[in-house]
Amino acid sequence: MKVLLTFIFYSCIITILSAQNEMDIALKKNSFYLSASNLVLWGTAKAAYERQIQHKVGTRNFSTYVKIGYGGFATWGAAGRASVVQMNRIYGLRNSHFEVGVGIAHLFDKESYRIAVSNYNISSSDYDQEPTRRKYYWWLPAFDIGYRFQKPGGNFIFRTGLGSPEGVYLSFGLAF
């Protein structure tokens, strides 16, 4: 009887631990972080939200996320709003992860548009046309490649790497 109870006890413990290990390696499904970046005369600041859409465990452990970000950019002679939509892959099991993402960024050069409207209003020439906002929108490819510190099941996120339109970025956030 002792042998049977011991066997049942150890079987339950092993089952609980293996299920716990499966849950421990999964990253949380939602994350929010603030990011700042700089690249020579180019700088950005943004807030981003990520949602996990896939998690695979096996020989290749990875999670796939959809990211939406919004913020601002500034450079020599231009400044405005920036938004980004990306698909990100995060590889790794423990605390340290490799991440790569690709998508599209939309920028609006608000400062240059404001200057163009001001020049148009001051100009006395009849040949000048009023500037359109469309002329000051930029569509750029968005990508990032970098390091991510996030404990499986943990809340704290630290990210760093290189991306477009960011440049060299540094991020801090929370997973939930």
Side-chain angles (χ1 to χ4, degrees):
M1 185 67 173
K2 280 186 174 181
V3 173
L4 180 62
L5 288 175
T6 305
F7 176 76
I8 292 172
F9 175 76
Y10 282 119
S11 297
C12 290
I13 294 295
I14 289 171
T15 304
I16 290 169
L17 289 177
S18 66
Q20 185 175 358
N21 285 340
E22 181 72 25
M23 288 176 12
D24 285 348
I25 60 175
L27 298 175
K28 292 195 173 181
K29 293 200 178 282
N30 299 295
S31 58
F32 176 81
Y33 54 85
L34 299 175
S35 182
S37 64
N38 192 4
L39 187 62
V40 188
L41 294 175
W42 178 266
T44 65
K46 74 174 179 185
Y49 170 75
E50 289 179 333
R51 172 73 179 166
Q52 184 184 78
I53 58 173
Q54 181 183 32
H55 177 72
K56 290 217 177 198
V57 178
T59 57
R60 290 184 167 171
N61 301 301
F62 66 87
S63 297
T64 305
Y65 285 82
V66 173
K67 175 170 70 171
I68 299 170
Y70 183 79
F73 74 94
T75 186
W76 193 274
R81 299 183 304 255
S83 56
V84 67
V85 176
Q86 277 185 286
M87 289 285 274
N88 286 4
R89 273 262 169 103
I90 300 171
Y91 297 91
L93 272 178
R94 293 187 173 66
N95 298 342
S96 296
H97 305 277
F98 171 74
E99 68 178 2
V100 62
V102 65
I104 190 161
H106 180 255
L107 285 72
F108 173 61
D109 186 356
K110 187 176 179 180
E111 185 65 24
S112 295
Y113 176 70
R114 186 188 62 77
I115 291 169
V117 168
S118 175
N119 289 342
Y120 173 77
N121 291 333
I122 294 172
S123 174
S124 62
S125 172
D126 294 334
Y127 299 106
D128 288 338
Q129 294 182 4
E130 185 173 2
T132 61
R133 291 174 71 93
R134 186 179 314 165
K135 195 172 168 183
Y136 297 94
Y137 286 119
W138 303 340
W139 292 94
L140 300 172
F143 71 89
D144 56 32
I145 183 168
Y147 169 79
R148 180 185 192 116
F149 176 85
Q150 181 180 356
K151 291 181 181 179
N155 294 334
F156 176 73
I157 298 172
F158 169 76
R159 299 173 62 244
T160 187
L162 178 65
S164 167
E166 289 101 353
V168 179
Y169 63 85
L170 189 65
S171 305
F172 295 95
L174 295 172
F176 52 97

